[in-house]
Amino acid sequence: MGDVHFSRERAGKVVVLIFFWMLSLISLSCGARLSVSRQKLQVQNHLNRLNKPAVKTIQSPDGDIIDCVHLARQPAFDHPFLKDHKIQMRPSYHPEGLFDENKVSDTEKPKKGSNPITQLWHMNGKCPEGTIPIRRTKEEDVLRASSVKSYGRKKHRATPQPRSADPDLINESGHQHAIAYVEGDKYYGAKATINVWEPKIQQPNEFSLSQLWILGGSFGEDLNSIEAGWQVSPDLYGDNNTRLFTYWTSDAYQATGCYNLLCSGFIQINSEIAMGASISPVSAYRNSQYDISILVWKDPKEGHWWMQFGNDYVLGYWPSFLFSYLADSASMIEWGGEVVNSEADGHHTSTQMGSGRFPEEGFGKSSYFRNIQVVDDSNNLKAPKGLGTFTEQSNCYDVQTGSNGDWGHYFYYGGPGKNPNCP
């Protein structure tokens, strides 16, 4: 009798245990489902914020969707300070003097190494006047980021700091550079013609870019930076295409700024060039070479920072209120390459910088920046004075400067990353 009572009691306990176990499973799966649906909602809300209603949509051969969005409906105008902003349709001054549409095209005659370059989506159409082309953000783009908040942002401390090649800093950020730079003056802009390649990326979370940096403030928490160039970033774009990009931050990549038009900030006025869209064609080893010209300058009248792509396309501007130090001027200009070295397998990454070849190989093999210039306080383009170079590990990626009549101040840069001298 006692045994029966005991086994009933035990059976009852087992039933209770099973009940609570099932309850916890249900609550776990409900919790998981809730967090998945909460994330889906967050992603959807973010997409709704970024993807504005389109007047026309163009399907690019590379899978991108380009939305032609009315000028006044672009993401910049989500910014509270831009609610009543009157769009400036042209800069007051160009670095050669008073801005003149016809003059821009003649600012630079074609030189050795330059071939016409375009964006892939142009093959399938163009955006009407009064609209701007915006690369549509897809759900999978946002899901590749570590969080909705971090989508479209660089990681903290991504700027090369030439003065302190401090190993702690280098290892902490995992970013490596090969750059030329000037400092010690007030700068009001910079220009460069950049050789365009399609470097190979080892890990999807790594990138390779070639750009110019316009910097103000210290390398602490208050760094102001405006950046423009080309990049290959599987994480950001979902492929290995070479793409035109811009970036800005006013607090050292912490809470402000983003790539392209992925937050409020840059005001685009141009209907022909899309930020983040693929550049075509790209250079090939010992074959045709292609390059892009980028000019960023501060309009002395309005104080905004303008960007021009090539000789014909004034793209738009970063309003000066976005910045603290750059509201006045820049204290440093950098040009060059940057890669992420995640050391995934305990070795240096084999992600290439530039063409993936070292500078000494020269034209047609190594990547270059040519005709590099700065804008002075009289709004004139000048050769950079006291050009320095910096690289964390020259056995992995290197830089070599030079100057001649045709290319002005130039440098070759880049490298293969992992190799016998860079394990």
Side-chain angles (χ1 to χ4, degrees):
M1 199 65 182
D3 284 353
V4 172
H5 178 70
F6 177 70
S7 59
R8 269 194 198 143
E9 201 175 282
R10 194 157 58 181
K13 277 182 182 168
V14 169
V15 167
V16 168
L17 280 170
I18 290 170
F19 173 72
F20 279 115
W21 177 67
M22 286 176 74
L23 206 61
S24 69
L25 275 182
I26 291 163
S27 68
L28 269 173
S29 77
C30 284
R33 223 171 293 148
L34 264 173
S35 77
V36 166
S37 61
R38 194 180 296 123
Q39 188 198 24
K40 255 190 147 30
L41 188 65
Q42 270 185 327
V43 169
Q44 205 44 59
N45 287 342
H46 199 57
L47 291 173
N48 293 342
R49 266 198 305 276
L50 289 176
N51 296 325
K52 304 298 181 190
V55 172
K56 176 182 176 181
T57 291
I58 297 160
Q59 184 75 49
S60 176
D62 60 358
D64 278 2
I65 297 167
I66 303 294
D67 288 324
C68 306
V69 173
H70 192 279
L71 262 172
R73 302 199 72 166
Q74 62 182 292
F77 296 108
D78 292 342
H79 197 294
F81 288 4
L82 288 171
K83 285 286 177 255
D84 304 312
H85 180 81
K86 187 176 184 310
I87 302 176
Q88 229 186 303
M89 289 310 291
R90 48 190 280 166
S92 312
Y93 290 88
H94 198 262
E96 277 83 17
L98 203 60
F99 182 72
D100 173 5
E101 296 284 356
N102 303 318
K103 199 171 171 192
V104 177
S105 310
D106 303 328
T107 54
E108 192 184 81
K109 299 282 180 282
K111 299 183 184 77
K112 175 189 171 193
S114 93
N115 278 307
I117 208 155
T118 182
Q119 291 191 307
L120 272 178
W121 66 274
H122 291 167
M123 291 166 71
N124 290 347
K126 57 186 200 173
C127 284
E129 279 299 309
T131 69
I132 64 160
I134 302 181
R135 179 183 183 270
R136 187 184 298 178
T137 301
K138 299 171 182 168
E139 186 178 10
E140 57 266 31
D141 292 334
V142 183
L143 290 174
R144 275 192 309 274
S146 54
S147 69
V148 170
K149 205 174 165 199
S150 68
Y151 172 66
R153 295 179 187 274
K154 272 192 181 185
K155 297 206 167 42
H156 190 28
R157 263 190 163 167
T159 307
Q161 188 175 351
R163 281 280 166 257
S164 70
D166 169 5
D168 295 345
L169 176 78
I170 295 159
N171 296 336
E172 182 190 334
S173 70
H175 288 236
Q176 289 197 292
H177 309 85
I179 61 159
Y181 68 94
V182 287
E183 62 179 341
D185 206 346
K186 286 188 163 192
Y187 307 100
Y188 296 84
K191 186 175 187 187
T193 297
I194 312 172
N195 198 192
V196 178
W197 292 80
E198 195 175 273
K200 301 278 174 286
I201 312 295
Q202 185 187 320
Q203 299 289 331
N205 65 335
E206 296 177 336
F207 64 62
S208 181
L209 56 76
S210 298
Q211 65 168 65
L212 54 83
W213 286 260
I214 290 174
L215 302 166
S218 70
F219 283 85
E221 308 294 284
D222 60 359
L223 184 74
N224 288 200
S225 183
I226 289 174
E227 306 169 25
W230 60 257
Q231 69 182 160
V232 177
S233 176
D235 220 18
L236 188 57
Y237 303 105
D239 60 24
N240 291 301
N241 290 359
T242 302
R243 296 168 175 275
L244 174 71
F245 83 95
T246 59
Y247 200 91
W248 72 274
T249 178
S250 61
D251 64 354
Y253 310 95
Q254 294 175 94
T256 62
C258 59
Y259 282 110
N260 308 327
L261 303 180
L262 296 175
C263 66
S264 306
F266 186 82
I267 297 172
Q268 185 161 335
I269 57 163
N270 183 284
S271 64
E272 295 175 81
I273 301 293
M275 301 290 198
S278 300
I279 297 170
S280 173
V282 296
S283 305
Y285 182 71
R286 298 175 84 163
N287 210 318
S288 297
Q289 297 301 298
Y290 297 91
D291 51 31
I292 57 172
S293 286
I294 287 176
L295 166 65
V296 175
W297 82 100
K298 194 179 199 330
D299 187 332
K301 187 174 175 212
E302 303 289 341
H304 305 320
W305 287 90
W306 285 81
M307 176 175 168
Q308 180 178 310
F309 175 72
N311 298 333
D312 308 307
Y313 305 111
V314 174
L315 296 191
Y317 58 97
W318 289 271
S320 62
F321 78 79
L322 294 172
F323 305 102
S324 49
Y325 296 97
L326 289 179
D328 172 45
S329 62
S331 52
M332 189 171 200
I333 307 288
E334 298 176 346
W335 301 263
E338 176 184 353
V339 299
V340 174
N341 171 30
S342 61
E343 297 185 341
D345 50 7
H347 295 284
H348 193 286
T349 182
S350 59
T351 286
Q352 299 173 331
M353 182 190 291
S355 67
R357 302 278 176 159
F358 282 115
E360 49 269 27
E361 294 204 35
F363 185 79
K365 301 168 189 172
S366 178
S367 188
Y368 60 80
F369 277 61
R370 63 179 174 89
N371 302 100
I372 62 174
Q373 292 173 295
V374 296
V375 179
D376 68 8
D377 56 2
S378 307
N379 198 35
N380 291 315
L381 279 161
K382 291 271 170 74
K385 272 198 190 84
L387 193 65
T389 60
F390 170 77
T391 179
E392 289 94 347
Q393 288 175 271
S394 58
N395 289 340
C396 308
Y397 311 104
D398 206 2
V399 55
Q400 282 180 10
T401 57
S403 66
N404 63 32
D406 209 16
W407 279 25
H409 283 265
Y410 68 86
F411 61 89
Y412 286 97
Y413 70 102
K418 186 183 175 190
N419 68 74
N421 298 317
C422 170

